Amino acid sequence: DVKVTQSSRYLVKRTGEKVFLECVQDMDHENMFWYRQDPGLGLRLIYFSYDVKMKEKGDIPEGYSVSREKKERFSLILESASTNQTSMYLCASRRGTEAFFGQGTRLTVV
Amino acid sequence: DQQVKQNSPSLSVQEGRISILNCDYTNSMFDYFLWYKKYPAEGPTFLISISSIKDKNEDGRFTVFLNKSAKHLSLHIVPSQPGDSAVYFCAASALNTGFQKLVFGTGTRLLVSP
């Protein structure tokens, strides 16, 4: 069974803080993704990575950066958290057809 | 520019009846389509998929239909059960171009009442 694990289920951070969201997958997948889910907007792609140290911007990269130093780990970084980044963040990994998601991190920025 | 659209934000059906969820796409390069189911506070889980070389794929109570000329796909759930109540997302990608991104629709919230 593929497992995608996100480090936190719930996070509360203050405006201006630097926030790290971690994601680890155990199936040696090349492709990893960060999405955010907001009501009425579906899942929007923030960044994705197709190999170690390789990354590409998704549809809404502003205010975010990513790091992929090892194949199994893909980190999302909020450089200076803002209230409009309050959201559900979902990590996924994929090789081939199906993508597997982590359980999600509900981030609240106050 | 929304490349994958789910125009119905919500759908209510009675237990035992058919649920039909619809999805439209605009990018003719998409060749692989997936449906995901999502419960609150959980990550999406894969439900069923279809390649563009097919027009139908069935898995138990779930069937996905693809109409390439109309750029439309639908998910049929028969019979619907209360446990099917969730948000359903359709997603698309263009695997033949190496396009590994999954583009998602906005989701349809399905409520199945007993």
Side-chain angles (χ1 to χ4, degrees):
Chain A
D1 250 8
V2 175
K3 198 168 176 72
V4 180
T5 304
Q6 294 182 228
S7 53
S8 304
R9 291 293 300 268
Y10 300 95
L11 273 179
V12 180
K13 297 291 182 181
R14 294 192 181 279
T15 302
E17 274 194 81
K18 191 169 186 175
V19 181
F20 293 85
L21 302 183
E22 307 285 346
C23 176
V24 177
Q25 52 99 357
D26 65 359
M27 280 302 290
D28 203 38
H29 287 172
E30 290 87 4
N31 302 287
M32 295 188 74
F33 308 84
W34 275 105
Y35 291 87
R36 63 178 280 179
Q37 183 200 358
D38 300 288
L41 298 176
L43 275 66
R44 294 180 293 164
L45 182 64
I46 305 171
Y47 265 97
F48 69 103
S49 168
Y50 50 90
D51 205 346
V52 174
K53 296 192 188 293
M54 306 303 286
K55 60 187 179 187
E56 285 206 24
K57 293 180 180 179
D59 301 316
I60 50 164
E62 296 79 19
Y64 303 94
S65 62
V66 290
S67 171
R68 191 154 181 213
E69 297 296 318
K70 294 185 177 181
K71 194 173 187 181
E72 66 270 19
R73 186 179 297 270
F74 191 34
S75 303
L76 179 70
I77 304 154
L78 286 68
E79 298 291 343
S80 177
S82 63
T83 54
N84 63 13
Q85 292 178 310
T86 291
S87 186
M88 167 72 92
Y89 288 88
L90 295 159
C91 173
S93 73
R94 186 184 196 197
R95 180 170 59 195
T97 54
E98 184 183 335
F100 298 87
F101 282 85
Q103 77 277 28
T105 297
R106 169 69 64 184
L107 172 67
T108 303
V109 182
V110 297
Chain B
D1 179 28
Q2 192 76 23
Q3 296 186 70
V4 178
K5 301 177 186 178
Q6 293 176 257
N7 291 319
S8 298
S10 62
L11 175 68
S12 292
V13 300
Q14 282 193 315
E15 182 177 6
R17 308 292 287 266
I18 184 171
S19 296
I20 301 176
L21 295 92
N22 294 303
C23 180
D24 297 292
Y25 61 96
T26 57
N27 189 338
S28 57
M29 297 299 290
F30 288 147
D31 58 4
Y32 199 80
F33 305 89
L34 306 90
W35 283 94
Y36 281 82
K37 176 179 176 179
K38 187 180 184 299
Y39 293 117
E42 293 184 14
T45 54
F46 171 74
L47 201 54
I48 192 169
S49 62
I50 188 166
S51 163
S52 59
I53 62 173
K54 294 186 173 183
D55 54 18
K56 177 182 173 181
N57 189 24
E58 201 169 345
D59 184 2
R61 296 186 297 115
F62 302 92
T63 303
V64 56
F65 295 92
L66 175 62
N67 182 334
K68 287 190 292 293
S69 60
K71 294 191 178 68
H72 176 84
L73 62 154
S74 60
L75 175 68
H76 293 210
I77 306 173
V78 183
S80 302
Q81 299 174 352
D84 296 330
S85 298
V87 178
Y88 290 78
F89 292 98
C90 69
S93 65
L95 291 183
N96 63 357
T97 62
F99 186 68
Q100 288 290 339
K101 278 170 55 174
L102 271 180
V103 182
F104 282 84
T106 51
T108 297
R109 182 177 302 279
L110 173 66
L111 178 62
V112 181
S113 52

